[in-house]
Amino acid sequence: MCGLAGEIRFDGRRADLEAVDRMTGCLRHRGPDGDGIWARGPVALGHRRLSIIDLSAAGSQPMIDTALGLSIVFNGCIYNHRQLRAELEAKGHRFFSTSDTEVIGKAYAEWGTDCVDHLLGMFAFVVVEQASGRAVLARDRLGIKPLYLDERTDRLRFASTLPALLEAGDVDTTIDTTALAMYLSFHSVVPAPRTILRGVRKLPPATVRVIEPDGTSTERVYWEPDFSRDPDRADWSERDWQDALLASLRTAVERRMVADVPVGVLLSGGIDSSLVVALLAEAGQTDLATFSIGFESAGGESGDEFEYSDVVARRFGTDHHRIRIDGSRLLPGIDGALEAMSEPMVSHDCVAFYLLSEDVSSHVKVVQSGQGADEVLGGYDWYPPLAGVARESAADAYERVFFDRSRAALRELLGDRWRAEVDAGAPRAFIDERFGRPGAETAVDAALRNDTTVMLVDDPVKRVDNMTMAWGLEARVPFLDHEFVELVGRIPPELKLADGGKGVLKRAARGVVPDEVIDRTKGYFPVPAIRQLEGPYLQRVREALTDPAARERGLFRSETVDRLLADPNTTRTTLGSNELWQLALLEMWMQKHGVR
């Protein structure tokens, strides 16, 4: 787990080493254990290292494989790197390190761009063929690891974060108006390849891009899960699905213990992270460090779920850490989380993950998390209303339950200039295209596929990566093991929606985790002071939305902003987010990064 950056020139000039050095320096938080730059003519690669596998200097990056003539930078972890090493050694390859980075290089030499099909893990990597000048960029199947691009006709820059590209300079920071429509309607999700900035794109998940020395490129999607029924499993009983799910998750959890440093667990007290702990204990893991977070209550909302995480910690004898966040840390935590965001993220739990990661990183370098279970297993309350909806009406139903704003409401929110520029129909056009693809049998299947491959990638997954890596902490997500996701996509929707959501998981977990954790009301990462804005938190929001830069930009109608500020905690989006916070967060991020 690290940070990577680089530049490739297409105009015959040498790569700008100073720009690559600035980008690499901006990634220090992602890789505090080492850094390096490699350059040859039009290509330069930069890297910041977080040492997790092969802690020696042999595992440093950029990694130069002189025998193969390859230069490699990589962010992530290949969980099957030992098995691949053995397979590649049998084919005649010789290794000079025990790192998973070198395995990627050898795999590329053996299988070309098909190497991604052999990799089990989370990854974003760039491989440069020194002789030909060809470069290959790739991203893992679920987009767990990010890769941002600033592309011009004369050069390409890439980095693990958007702010690193800004640090290099000469980026078009005007607002992408289609992305703005997505952010304000599609629950703050801006799907790849767009970002909120016109000059920055991101490589989509499950994508390999080959770039030739003259700048021409080809791109292919190498994986997409199927959310239709499998004829070979037509006779499976509910118990069969439960057993298969638990077996697959057990494998996913065990894979994510591969490391040369200790691995802990972020234990929220919900069923997802509790099951991760239970399966690790079942596998014989001892002295497992677990971490839970709690905030002060506000607005009648509890700020912690220690009651449930304590039950799990006691049951499995973990080395448990209750992290109580004093109120004095929360306001600075908002600014810290904002600093860590590659893109605007509205969820209040960004701050929770940021502050949790700060404390956890003083204990361990790697944690497992329950992230992703709700999206792949139907755990949210917008899925049940889709049950029984005709497949051809799925997009209509999804818009009603998920979109923050209708087309008309979006136009009403925007200031005069932006109302004319923003395509208010872009979010619905996107959903029509996604839901129209084959491979999703029912309306629920279509929603789950979309949320797994789009919403999850550009909201929860991105949020966890940004907030944990702000403190050099690697987060691993077993519920997003691609083989697990493939299996779960085939499960009949009614089994997922049972028992208030995630029914098949809850029933599989009986006897594995405590019943009180399974039967509890669904919880969320609680940060009451942000959900219920008052005092200094409301003032922070007010300052952002009334700042001269915000007034000049005029994104939102001043009457709407004034109304929300006068009554800050009443208006909520479809999914319950504080509307005022959503608008303010976007302005805070834009002001920080000089967006025009």
Side-chain angles (χ1 to χ4, degrees):
M1 183 73 71
C2 310
L4 63 85
E7 178 177 285
I8 306 172
R9 305 289 313 192
F10 310 129
D11 57 2
R13 298 172 58 187
R14 301 179 69 84
D16 186 341
L17 286 180
E18 291 185 0
V20 174
D21 187 56
R22 288 194 299 273
M23 288 192 287
T24 304
C26 189
L27 298 170
R28 181 183 302 273
H29 58 285
R30 294 183 73 93
D33 296 333
D35 66 291
I37 289 180
W38 172 87
R40 177 173 292 184
V43 182
L45 304 176
H47 192 266
R48 292 291 317 193
R49 186 183 187 196
L50 181 64
S51 302
I52 302 296
I53 293 175
D54 190 347
L55 310 185
S56 74
S60 297
Q61 298 184 51
M63 180 171 284
I64 313 304
D65 193 320
T66 54
L68 298 177
L70 300 177
S71 299
I72 309 157
V73 283
F74 160 56
N75 168 30
C77 183
I78 307 303
Y79 303 125
N80 64 331
H81 72 96
R82 292 171 185 157
Q83 294 88 337
L84 285 175
R85 174 187 303 274
E87 183 178 352
L88 289 162
E89 284 178 335
K91 293 178 179 293
H93 293 276
R94 296 294 173 259
F95 288 78
F96 54 82
S97 76
T98 58
S99 74
D100 49 349
T101 308
E102 188 181 3
V103 168
I104 291 174
K106 301 291 201 257
Y108 176 74
E110 183 64 32
W111 297 301
T113 57
D114 290 340
C115 67
V116 291
D117 297 321
H118 298 258
L119 305 178
L120 301 179
M122 52 182 183
F123 53 85
F125 67 76
V126 179
V127 174
V128 175
E129 297 178 0
Q130 296 171 8
S132 70
R134 181 180 295 115
V136 176
L137 285 62
R139 195 171 173 203
D140 67 70
R141 298 166 181 85
L142 275 304
I144 301 167
K145 292 294 101 191
L147 191 57
Y148 289 89
L149 311 173
D150 174 13
E151 188 168 14
R152 309 285 182 90
T153 56
D154 59 344
R155 56 111 173 120
L156 170 69
R157 288 176 180 161
F158 48 85
S160 293
T161 71
L162 187 153
L165 289 175
L166 296 180
E167 191 68 23
D170 192 28
V171 178
D172 179 358
T173 58
T174 54
I175 295 173
D176 182 316
T177 53
T178 298
L180 178 62
M182 298 300 294
Y183 178 90
L184 292 172
S185 296
F186 196 40
H187 201 55
S188 307
V189 174
V190 177
R194 295 182 185 273
T195 75
I196 200 70
L197 302 185
R198 190 173 295 167
V200 179
R201 292 295 181 255
K202 51 204 176 196
L203 189 71
T207 299
V208 176
R209 185 175 182 186
V210 179
I211 303 171
E212 302 298 339
D214 63 0
T216 59
S217 67
T218 57
E219 196 170 280
R220 70 177 177 93
V221 175
Y222 64 89
W223 179 84
E224 185 171 7
D226 194 329
F227 281 74
S228 61
R229 308 292 77 79
D230 182 357
D232 292 337
R233 295 170 172 140
D235 61 346
W236 275 29
S237 67
E238 182 177 346
R239 185 73 248 180
D240 290 331
W241 284 114
Q242 293 169 23
D243 291 344
L245 180 148
L246 204 57
S248 182
L249 184 61
R250 185 178 290 112
T251 298
V253 168
E254 291 176 0
R255 279 176 180 159
R256 283 154 183 78
M257 292 304 288
V258 173
D260 294 335
V261 296
V263 179
V265 177
L266 301 181
L267 178 59
S268 68
I271 184 175
D272 310 325
S273 58
S274 299
L275 188 52
V276 171
V277 171
L279 293 178
L280 288 173
E282 176 188 273
Q285 184 74 32
T286 58
D287 300 321
L288 181 67
T290 54
F291 305 88
S292 301
I293 192 172
F295 295 86
E296 295 175 356
S297 300
E301 292 191 20
S302 172
D304 70 69
E305 298 181 341
F306 290 147
E307 173 189 354
Y308 297 102
S309 58
D310 285 353
V311 167
V312 176
R314 284 194 301 269
R315 170 71 65 88
F316 299 108
T318 71
D319 175 18
H320 191 53
H321 302 257
R322 275 184 168 200
I323 299 173
R324 291 189 178 276
I325 302 299
D326 183 85
S328 63
R329 293 179 61 191
L330 187 52
L331 197 61
I334 293 175
D335 291 323
L338 192 69
E339 176 82 25
M341 291 178 187
S342 277
E343 301 174 67
M345 304 174 195
V346 70
S347 177
H348 60 276
D349 71 10
C350 284
V351 182
F353 271 116
Y354 178 83
L355 293 171
L356 174 62
S357 300
E358 179 181 9
D359 286 16
V360 171
S361 65
S362 66
H363 297 276
V364 295
K365 280 187 172 183
V366 184
V367 287
Q368 295 204 43
S369 163
Q371 200 76 39
D374 287 306
E375 290 81 2
V376 302
L377 282 159
Y380 289 123
D381 59 11
W382 60 83
Y383 297 122
L386 301 176
V389 171
R391 182 65 178 84
E392 59 270 19
S393 302
D396 291 331
Y398 185 79
E399 180 179 5
R400 287 194 297 270
V401 297
F402 188 84
F403 279 27
D404 286 336
R405 294 172 183 84
S406 67
R407 200 174 310 190
L410 176 58
R411 292 192 181 281
E412 180 67 18
L413 170 67
L414 293 168
D416 292 341
R417 168 198 162 191
W418 298 96
R419 193 176 303 121
E421 291 188 18
V422 171
D423 179 4
R428 177 54 192 265
F430 175 82
I431 290 301
D432 283 339
E433 190 279 325
R434 297 291 302 189
F435 276 45
R437 297 180 181 184
E441 195 162 298
T442 68
V444 174
D445 286 317
L448 287 170
R449 179 180 62 180
N450 183 75
D451 289 356
T452 297
T453 58
V454 178
M455 185 273 283
L456 177 67
V457 173
D458 273 296
D459 186 16
V461 163
K462 181 168 63 184
R463 189 189 323 151
V464 171
D465 173 80
N466 283 193
M467 297 306 129
T468 54
M469 289 306 294
W471 297 102
L473 179 67
E474 176 178 309
R476 299 176 174 181
V477 279
F479 284 95
L480 298 186
D481 182 280
H482 83 272
E483 292 180 346
F484 179 80
V485 170
E486 288 172 347
L487 172 72
V488 168
R490 297 294 205 166
I491 297 177
E494 60 270 20
L495 300 185
K496 300 173 190 174
L497 299 185
D499 302 343
K502 294 191 294 192
V504 64
L505 181 73
K506 292 174 181 177
R507 296 178 187 185
R510 292 283 177 192
V512 182
V513 301
D515 283 353
E516 52 263 54
V517 172
I518 298 172
D519 297 329
R520 59 167 293 192
T521 301
K522 180 175 175 57
Y524 296 88
F525 231 152
V527 190
I530 296 177
R531 284 181 51 80
Q532 302 292 328
L533 293 168
E534 57 187 24
Y537 309 102
L538 178 57
Q539 182 58 28
R540 181 75 176 83
V541 165
R542 185 185 307 277
E543 290 170 355
L545 289 171
T546 59
D547 186 276
R551 293 298 194 192
E552 181 178 355
R553 191 176 357 261
L555 267 182
F556 313 120
R557 295 181 63 211
S558 57
E559 299 92 331
T560 301
V561 171
D562 292 343
R563 173 178 57 79
L564 291 172
L565 287 170
D567 186 14
N569 294 307
T570 299
T571 307
R572 303 274 168 175
T573 67
T574 301
L575 300 184
S577 296
N578 187 310
E579 183 172 11
L580 186 62
W581 174 253
Q582 183 191 42
L583 306 188
L585 194 285
L586 180 61
E587 265 299 338
M588 290 180 202
W589 191 91
M590 288 181 172
Q591 290 165 28
K592 177 168 188 58
H593 294 297
V595 178
R596 299 194 297 275

